[in-house]
Amino acid sequence: QDALVVRKRSLGEDHLDVAFSLHCIGKIYKIKHQMKEAISHFDKSLHIKRLKLTKGHISIAETLEQLGMAYVESGEDEDGILCFSGALRIYKSRLGSYHLTVAVTTEALGSIYEQRKDYEHALEFYGKGLKIRNKILGTEDITVADAHYCLGKIQRVVGSTHEALSSFQQATRIRKRHMGRNDLMIADILTDAGDVQLQIEQEQVAHKCFAEALRIRRYMLDSTDVAIGESLLRMGRVYHAEREYDQAIDTYEEAKSILEEKLGAKDVSVARACHYLGKAHMSRQEIEKAIAYYEECIAINKSGDDMESIPVADASHELGVAYLDLGKYSEAEDILRESVDVKVKLLGEDHISIAETVIYLGRVCLKMNSPDEALMYFEQARLIKQQSLGDDHIDCYEILCDIASAHDLNNEHRDSLGCLNEYLQKRRQDFGDDEKVADILHRVGGVQQALKDYDAAIKSFSSALALFQVILGEENLKVAKTLYSLALGYEAKGDDDKEAMKYHKEAFRLRRTLLGSDQLEVATSLDKIAGLYLKEDNTDKALQGLKEALRIRTSLLGSDDIEVGGTLFGMGVVFEKMDNLDKAMECYMASLLIRKTNLGDSSVEVAQTLHNIGTLYAKKHDYERALQRWKSALSAYRDANLDDEEHLVAITIGNITMAEGLLKDKEKSKPDGKKD
């Protein structure tokens, strides 16, 4: 500044030396982040240079470049782009199109466009910069590696995944040649490459990328460096994708510990670790732990100045899903609505990320027995996805499964079947016969069974089974589930109990092998096998299976659970068939108590139990008590909104009529004046 004063006094206000002093002072202000002063000095310098120098002088370009940087750092990107573009025109004119300075300025423009999220222009300028460097420096120069990396990051953002991976590969190869294996920039490139591989579901390749990046960072950095924490978060995501949930949780916990130590417990990176931990615990069905981590994530994100943010909305979405899985539907609905409200406010009502939360709101409505409201949400989500992705995108068809569920709840099974078949056709067209096709076929079979089209259901279940066995192998839980459904299909058809028994036994074997003996799925298979043995009059084997099912359910659920009540009812049926009426009564009475406690007095299950108790009294010729139980059963059926024409109700009415007739006849046959 002293030199500027002297030069102005000695040489005049518009001398070139004054311009050079102004340029230098502007650079100092820029370094000090005093951008207003920097812009003022660069602007004055530029004015003098344009007066005194020939048009297109290199010095004018240098000041334009500095002025552009100051504008960009002030947030005035448009003015910054104008300055850099002016400088680039001069450099090209004076130095030629293939000059290192031209490459640097071109890439600077690419960087500005990247910051503005104008990725199309960023891609254009980074590509041009790389082309210049390749020509003047050769394809193996280390700065060419950096240019590949910058280009790859933009290619990744715009969805050009294969081009991005190619750019990352080139950058890694060149840097390894110059810097060796233990280079931190290589770790950064591998991290980005791993993110892309994970995005396209190439988990094994992503694992290798993240593991090598972590190795480099651990070799080069302090053991608690933030970059190591970030690498661990990514390794956890790979383990999660590979369904190695225990390892994912351990890795996330290690990352969280490092990030808390280095950044503090309220940092957003710690919140991200909590989010991932919540998802991992959800995958292990540890819902309470998942909820605790989601709540911690939300609390951290809300501890800053911004109470409403996308990370808060995302974590709220996951928390809502956890409440849904826990059966807390009101809480799920409230938190999911909050998530949607924040996303609509920040992103707009048609943003693609809103669709998934809206889908879960629909699923909550299904659980709350509001299929029409659910259907509204599913249609809204589908419309958002169609607007964002195009009508023909597979995601727009996947929602048809949820729409089908709403139709099923409304007993609109033909509409449900239409939705599932439409999705099935699209899925096969785009992906061939993959695992999801098998899932859809399994659902189609279930709807066909609801429509009592048992042959079609068996065909669909058989097709699903064949696909699962090919894709997943013979020993898989989805195979077991489909075997079970196939057995139910044959049972419902009613003319081939041998096939039903065959498939039930194979489902039972697989479930016991894959899950262990003490699992509810095993107990369910035992119930069904017992029912088929009962039809064969093999009461001993039926009772044996039900006793084992009772043991499993009691140990897992407690003695008062509704499923235990169901098993006791089944045992009562077997004892009744064995003419062991006292044991049958004992089982029915225990079942009745459990069912009344869990379901109230007015339910079909309570009515059925009362009916069977009445039947036992009738077999003991105690028609007064039988009549009392049957009348209670009829009242329960009617309170449960069953019509008198329903098979169960009609039988009970018939029994009441019979008992009343017998009691009337008995009363008539008594000598006058005598009472029982």
Side-chain angles (χ1 to χ4, degrees):
Q1 286 179 332
D2 289 343
L4 177 62
V5 171
V6 172
R7 282 175 168 171
K8 280 183 177 181
R9 188 169 57 240
S10 304
L11 303 172
E13 295 279 338
D14 58 354
H15 195 277
L16 271 176
D17 286 354
V18 172
F20 293 139
S21 287
L22 288 164
H23 181 96
C24 291
I25 293 168
K27 288 173 72 175
I28 299 300
Y29 277 124
K30 185 162 71 70
I31 292 168
K32 294 171 72 175
H33 300 287
Q34 294 175 253
M35 295 305 159
K36 188 175 180 181
E37 290 295 330
I39 289 169
S40 174
H41 283 76
F42 288 137
D43 199 45
K44 289 173 184 176
S45 173
L46 183 62
H47 177 72
I48 296 169
K49 287 183 177 183
R50 280 175 167 162
L51 286 174
K52 297 296 183 180
L53 296 171
T54 57
K55 185 179 180 181
H57 195 282
I58 285 288
S59 185
I60 294 173
E62 290 169 349
T63 303
L64 276 169
E65 202 165 13
Q66 290 293 328
L67 180 59
M69 284 188 261
Y71 274 130
V72 170
E73 291 190 37
S74 298
E76 300 175 56
D77 294 347
E78 291 287 353
D79 289 330
I81 289 170
L82 288 173
C83 290
F84 273 106
S85 297
L88 183 60
R89 281 194 299 272
I90 294 171
Y91 286 141
K92 282 183 175 180
S93 173
R94 293 291 179 173
L95 304 173
S97 295
Y98 290 96
H99 191 279
L100 191 56
T101 302
V102 173
V104 170
T105 310
T106 301
E107 290 162 349
L109 273 165
S111 177
I112 298 169
Y113 282 120
E114 180 182 358
Q115 290 176 38
R116 287 166 59 87
K117 297 185 179 179
D118 183 349
Y119 299 120
E120 184 178 347
H121 281 101
L123 204 60
E124 175 190 346
F125 282 96
Y126 279 138
K128 288 178 179 178
L130 175 61
K131 184 178 179 181
I132 296 167
R133 287 184 184 276
N134 274 331
K135 184 161 185 176
I136 61 177
L137 300 173
T139 57
E140 300 301 309
D141 188 81
I142 193 165
T143 64
V144 171
D146 298 339
H148 276 298
Y149 184 33
C150 290
L151 183 62
K153 287 192 284 187
I154 304 301
Q155 289 166 331
R156 174 192 170 190
V157 171
V158 300
S160 300
T161 53
H162 294 296
E163 291 86 346
L165 290 172
S166 176
S167 295
F168 293 148
Q169 187 177 27
Q170 291 284 5
T172 304
R173 181 185 60 77
I174 296 167
R175 285 201 71 88
K176 274 186 179 178
R177 181 179 173 188
H178 287 273
M179 306 300 296
R181 291 176 63 240
N182 298 317
D183 174 54
L184 286 173
M185 181 66 80
I186 289 175
D188 293 341
I189 300 167
L190 287 169
T191 298
D192 282 321
D195 285 340
V196 175
Q197 297 287 4
L198 199 56
Q199 181 184 339
I200 60 175
E201 300 181 357
Q202 294 295 316
E203 289 89 356
Q204 289 185 339
V205 185
H207 193 141
K208 289 179 181 178
C209 291
F210 291 147
E212 179 62 7
L214 179 60
R215 184 199 65 77
I216 294 168
R217 286 171 173 170
R218 278 185 159 150
Y219 183 82
M220 298 293 291
L221 301 170
D222 180 77
S223 61
T224 58
D225 192 274
V226 170
I228 291 175
E230 293 291 342
S231 274
L232 286 166
L233 285 182
R234 283 176 166 84
M235 284 300 302
R237 287 173 59 207
V238 171
Y239 287 132
H240 193 156
E242 294 173 337
R243 300 181 183 180
E244 297 287 346
Y245 302 127
D246 289 345
Q247 205 156 358
I249 288 168
D250 290 344
T251 307
Y252 288 144
E253 290 285 10
E254 185 182 355
K256 183 172 181 277
S257 177
I258 291 171
L259 295 169
E260 282 178 334
E261 180 182 337
K262 287 295 183 180
L263 302 174
K266 298 297 182 183
D267 189 82
V268 292
S269 294
V270 177
R272 198 150 35 89
C274 290
H275 193 151
Y276 291 149
L277 276 161
K279 294 181 81 168
H281 282 293
M282 278 294 291
S283 295
R284 283 174 49 90
Q285 296 299 305
E286 296 169 345
I287 300 174
E288 297 285 2
K289 288 182 179 179
I291 286 173
Y293 277 116
Y294 289 141
E295 288 176 341
E296 184 179 353
C297 172
I298 292 169
I300 294 170
N301 281 313
K302 284 186 174 181
S303 66
D305 296 332
D306 193 0
M307 295 288 287
E308 294 181 336
S309 65
I310 295 304
V312 169
D314 288 341
S316 296
H317 169 95
E318 300 291 354
L319 181 58
V321 174
Y323 280 134
L324 171 61
D325 285 359
L326 204 59
K328 295 184 176 181
Y329 304 131
S330 295
E331 292 91 333
E333 185 178 21
D334 290 343
I335 198 74
L336 289 169
R337 285 187 190 280
E338 283 180 29
S339 176
V340 170
D341 289 344
V342 172
K343 288 179 180 179
V344 168
K345 182 178 178 180
L346 298 178
L347 302 173
E349 61 184 10
D350 295 328
H351 195 275
I352 185 69
S353 69
I354 294 168
E356 202 63 29
T357 310
V358 170
I359 288 170
Y360 274 98
L361 270 170
R363 290 173 183 171
V364 170
C365 290
L366 289 180
K367 292 294 186 181
M368 297 174 79
N369 202 30
S370 299
D372 292 332
E373 191 176 356
L375 200 57
M376 179 191 72
Y377 281 123
F378 295 145
E379 294 289 2
Q380 179 189 348
R382 193 178 190 207
L383 182 61
I384 292 171
K385 291 202 173 192
Q386 285 172 332
Q387 290 172 344
S388 299
L389 304 171
D391 292 351
D392 204 42
H393 196 281
I394 191 64
D395 285 1
C396 303
Y397 284 82
E398 284 184 355
I399 301 175
L400 289 169
C401 284
D402 290 295
I403 294 173
S405 297
H407 285 308
D408 281 330
L409 196 56
N410 265 336
N411 290 318
E412 299 163 346
H413 298 305
R414 296 213 174 274
D415 290 330
S416 170
L417 192 60
C419 290
L420 292 173
N421 280 327
E422 186 179 351
Y423 177 37
L424 178 63
Q425 182 180 354
K426 174 63 176 174
R427 186 79 199 180
R428 275 182 157 154
Q429 176 186 315
D430 287 5
F431 297 96
D433 281 344
D434 65 355
E435 185 178 344
K436 281 196 175 179
V437 165
D439 289 330
I440 306 163
L441 283 166
H442 188 269
R443 279 204 60 184
V444 165
V447 177
Q448 289 165 332
Q449 191 156 313
L451 288 166
K452 299 184 179 179
D453 189 351
Y454 302 122
D455 288 329
I458 288 168
K459 183 178 179 182
S460 295
F461 289 140
S462 298
S463 297
L465 178 63
L467 271 181
F468 281 136
Q469 288 172 330
V470 169
I471 296 166
L472 303 174
E474 300 277 346
E475 306 283 309
N476 185 275
L477 283 175
K478 282 192 175 182
V479 171
K481 183 178 179 180
T482 312
L483 286 163
Y484 178 78
S485 297
L486 194 51
L488 293 180
Y490 278 109
E491 273 194 82
K493 189 179 177 185
D495 62 357
D496 200 341
D497 286 345
K498 281 189 176 180
E499 285 295 291
M501 180 68 87
K502 179 181 78 173
Y503 288 118
H504 272 314
K505 283 185 173 180
E506 181 58 15
F508 166 71
R509 184 194 67 78
L510 274 178
R511 285 172 165 176
R512 189 173 58 180
T513 300
L514 297 170
L515 297 171
S517 297
D518 290 350
Q519 294 293 328
L520 292 177
E521 292 88 343
V522 173
T524 302
S525 286
L526 285 167
D527 284 344
K528 294 299 181 181
I529 292 169
L532 289 171
Y533 276 132
L534 190 61
K535 287 178 74 175
E536 296 174 358
D537 289 327
N538 193 337
T539 51
D540 289 338
K541 284 193 174 181
L543 188 60
Q544 181 184 351
L546 288 172
K547 283 182 176 180
E548 177 63 8
L550 180 66
R551 183 195 67 76
I552 294 169
R553 288 196 170 103
T554 303
S555 67
L556 293 174
L557 303 172
S559 58
D560 297 327
D561 188 83
I562 188 65
E563 289 194 28
V564 172
T567 308
L568 285 165
F569 179 85
M571 289 173 64
V573 172
V574 176
F575 279 124
E576 185 178 348
K577 193 155 190 176
M578 296 170 76
D579 291 326
N580 191 337
L581 302 187
D582 290 338
K583 290 295 291 185
M585 183 68 80
E586 182 184 323
C587 290
Y588 285 146
M589 293 300 289
S591 175
L592 180 64
L593 179 62
I594 293 170
R595 285 177 163 182
K596 279 189 172 183
T597 301
N598 285 275
L599 303 173
D601 291 341
S602 302
S603 71
V604 173
E605 290 83 359
V606 166
Q608 284 179 306
T609 314
L610 285 165
H611 177 276
N612 283 23
I613 291 171
T615 302
L616 288 183
Y617 280 123
K619 287 182 176 182
K620 292 181 175 184
H621 305 290
D622 189 344
Y623 294 109
E624 287 187 2
R625 288 186 180 179
L627 181 61
Q628 180 187 354
R629 298 308 190 278
W630 285 333
K631 284 184 174 181
S632 296
L634 180 61
S635 177
Y637 279 136
R638 286 171 173 170
D639 287 344
N641 297 317
L642 264 67
D643 295 329
D644 287 358
E645 292 75 22
E646 291 275 353
H647 179 66
L648 293 173
V649 185
I651 289 174
T652 305
I653 291 171
N655 287 349
I656 290 170
T657 303
M658 176 198 71
E660 287 175 337
L662 287 170
L663 288 170
K664 196 171 183 180
D665 290 343
K666 183 179 179 182
E667 190 66 29
K668 285 180 180 179
S669 66
K670 291 178 186 176
D672 290 343
K674 290 190 177 181
K675 294 182 180 179
D676 286 340

